[in-house]
Amino acid sequence: QGYETTTETGEEQVLELSQALYGLKQSSAAFSDAIRAHLISLNFEPMVGDPCLFKRVDERGTTIVCTYIDDITFCVSDPSLAETLMKELRTRFVIDEDEGGPIDYLLGMAVNQDRDAGTVHLNMEMAITKLCKTILTKEELVRSSTVRSPMLVTPLKIQQERTVPLEVFDYLSVVGCLLHV
């Protein structure tokens, strides 16, 4: 659907997609299957509680890999393990040479790592600001700086039908963004 073509005789053509394309519904599942199979082939074990988390322990140390759609985050007990992991991943996937360094931004969160202190700080200010600028009017943004609690004190009225068109305010999308925050 979305691509219609015909032969020279006017007959409708049907094309078969032989692999997942970026952006299709099934693409994330196909990539998840591919990365999972590759990590398992590299002696990583998936964690029971979270199938996106993989761990490998060997004589050189511990490597933990976390996958999220098409992103991979990892931590290692020894810096040489990071280089090894990136080489292993590049045998199957196209990964830029500058990838694999410290994380600055991930899943809407600014990440600040202090390796010497052994701390990691996460901050979602940019995602929250972007969301606010998307759904609030200029007046509401100004007024919001004086609000001490973002919660209404009176309950919302349940409406039987949509009073604001989806194009004007996509309630489900906003709720999804707020749940992520």
Side-chain angles (χ1 to χ4, degrees), residues 61-129:
T62 302
T63 304
I64 297 174
V65 175
C66 184
T67 63
Y68 182 78
I69 304 176
D70 62 350
D71 287 327
I72 296 174
T73 306
F74 64 88
C75 61
V76 292
S77 60
D78 183 283
S80 67
L81 291 172
E83 295 170 24
T84 301
L85 176 65
M86 293 307 292
K87 284 181 187 173
E88 292 171 334
L89 290 173
R90 285 187 180 101
T91 63
R92 171 69 174 86
F93 303 100
V94 177
I95 302 172
D96 293 338
E97 287 300 319
D98 62 340
E99 296 289 336
I103 300 170
D104 295 322
Y105 191 78
L106 178 70
L107 302 176
M109 295 176 283
V111 180
N112 186 324
Q113 302 176 58
D114 185 342
R115 292 181 183 193
D116 296 331
T119 60
V120 177
H121 295 273
L122 305 176
N123 179 330
M124 292 192 76
E125 181 180 353
M126 187 164 47
I128 293 168
T129 301

Side-chain angles (χ1 to χ4, degrees), residues 1 21 29 49 57 66 79 81 83 127 148 158 162 165 175:
Q1 187 178 1
L21 296 175
V57 180
C66 184
L81 291 172
E83 295 170 24
R148 298 190 72 203
I158 297 174
R162 181 180 284 277
V175 169

